[in-house]
Amino acid sequence: GSKQATNTRPVHVVPNVGGAGALVGRGSKQASRRARRRRRSTMSGAGVSDEKLLEGDPQEWLTKADAQRIFKKLRAQPANKTCFDCGAKNPTWASATYGVFICLNCSSQHRSLGVHISFCRSATLDEWKRGEVLTMKLGGNARARSFFRSHGVSDDERSGERKYKSRAAELYRKALKKEAYGRERHGSSDPLSVSPASKEAAAAAAAA
């Protein structure tokens, strides 16, 4: 009797065709695909320029080393050495939505607005997707500040609803996303350029 009981134990491995066995199989295949995608990203960064590194699937994760290499250069730019919102020195956080560098305190205020308004990551600790890093490269504090000013949002406005739920913020995040993910580049048709017409409109809006 006991021998018969032990002989029936292998029956538990039979459900391989469907059910939990199939789910495990699908899960391991997905994990394998993710691992291969990350490995390709790792190899692509070796000895490759920033421009080449940022070409490709915007949803693909960059290696931490590649992202940090790019961020080191971006954070060295004068306008990026202070928080976009409060002016604190050496900001280590960033809004991937607006392509701006912000301090830890302001990042918590950004998060309270919701990720649909501003999506934040640490510029020194977190992993970043290619499209997000490209957004930071195309954006930057100086470019965002110029756009916000031209639409009547002063530098005194901090990271609150008045600033980031404004019409200017909506226009900027949509145009920057289109530029980064649509692979458009700066030029005469730059969607974020500050034209004399937009300055006049902002002045009129401020006077009204």
Side-chain angles (χ1 to χ4, degrees), residues 133-208:
V133 176
L134 181 58
T135 301
M136 296 300 301
K137 187 176 175 64
L138 292 172
N141 290 11
R143 193 179 185 202
R145 187 168 290 118
S146 174
F147 186 89
F148 273 74
R149 283 175 183 168
S150 74
H151 286 75
V153 181
S154 73
D155 295 348
D156 296 331
E157 289 285 351
R158 293 204 172 191
S159 50
E161 290 194 8
R162 282 184 61 185
K163 184 175 188 176
Y164 289 104
K165 290 189 177 181
S166 66
R167 176 65 176 157
E170 182 186 0
L171 288 172
Y172 190 77
R173 65 174 173 262
K174 285 183 177 178
L176 189 60
K177 182 177 181 179
K178 182 179 179 182
E179 186 178 356
Y181 289 81
R183 290 299 185 272
E184 294 177 10
R185 288 293 181 264
H186 300 327
S188 56
S189 60
D190 181 359
L192 299 178
S193 62
V194 181
S195 66
S198 64
K199 289 182 180 178
E200 289 174 10

Side-chain angles (χ1 to χ4, degrees), residues 2 12 24 35 44-45 51 55 69-70 94 114 118 120-121 131 140 156 165-166 169 173 196 208:
S2 62
H12 293 289
V24 171
S44 70
E51 283 297 326
E55 290 178 0
R69 189 183 76 197
I70 296 172
S118 182
C120 297
R121 288 188 189 277
D156 296 331
K165 290 189 177 181
S166 66
R173 65 174 173 262

Side-chain angles (χ1 to χ4, degrees), residues 17-199:
V17 223
L23 289 175
V24 171
R26 283 198 296 271
S28 59
K29 284 180 182 177
Q30 289 173 351
S32 175
R33 280 197 295 269
R34 283 196 297 270
R36 285 199 301 273
R37 189 159 61 242
R38 284 178 184 269
R39 280 201 297 271
R40 283 200 300 270
S41 181
T42 303
M43 291 185 289
S44 70
V48 179
S49 69
D50 294 351
E51 283 297 326
K52 286 290 182 186
L53 187 63
L54 293 176
E55 290 178 0
D57 182 3
Q59 298 300 332
E60 186 175 82
W61 292 91
L62 293 184
T63 66
K64 200 169 180 180
D66 288 336
Q68 291 304 309
R69 189 183 76 197
I70 296 172
F71 280 137
K72 186 177 180 181
K73 297 174 186 176
L74 295 180
R75 292 175 64 204
Q77 296 175 10
N80 295 338
K81 288 183 177 182
T82 56
C83 173
F84 178 70
D85 289 327
C86 73
K89 292 182 179 179
N90 302 317
T92 56
W93 284 75
S95 168
T97 307
Y98 299 95
V100 295
F101 289 92
I102 53 179
C103 67
L104 177 61
N105 288 339
C106 289
S107 73
S108 64
Q109 295 182 46
H110 276 250
R111 286 193 295 273
S112 71
L113 296 173
V115 293
H116 62 295
I117 298 294
S118 182
F119 181 66
C120 297
R121 288 188 189 277
S122 169
T124 57
L125 301 174
D126 290 330
E127 292 184 336
W128 288 69
K129 292 180 180 179
R130 177 177 281 115
E132 295 166 345
V133 176
L134 181 58
T135 301
M136 296 300 301
K137 187 176 175 64
L138 292 172
N141 290 11
R143 193 179 185 202
R145 187 168 290 118
S146 174
F147 186 89
F148 273 74
R149 283 175 183 168
S150 74
H151 286 75
V153 181
S154 73
D155 295 348
D156 296 331
E157 289 285 351
R158 293 204 172 191
S159 50
E161 290 194 8
R162 282 184 61 185
K163 184 175 188 176
Y164 289 104
K165 290 189 177 181
S166 66
R167 176 65 176 157
E170 182 186 0
L171 288 172
Y172 190 77
R173 65 174 173 262
K174 285 183 177 178
L176 189 60
K177 182 177 181 179
K178 182 179 179 182
E179 186 178 356
Y181 289 81
R183 290 299 185 272
E184 294 177 10
R185 288 293 181 264
H186 300 327
S188 56
S189 60
D190 181 359
L192 299 178
S193 62
V194 181
S195 66
S198 64
K199 289 182 180 178

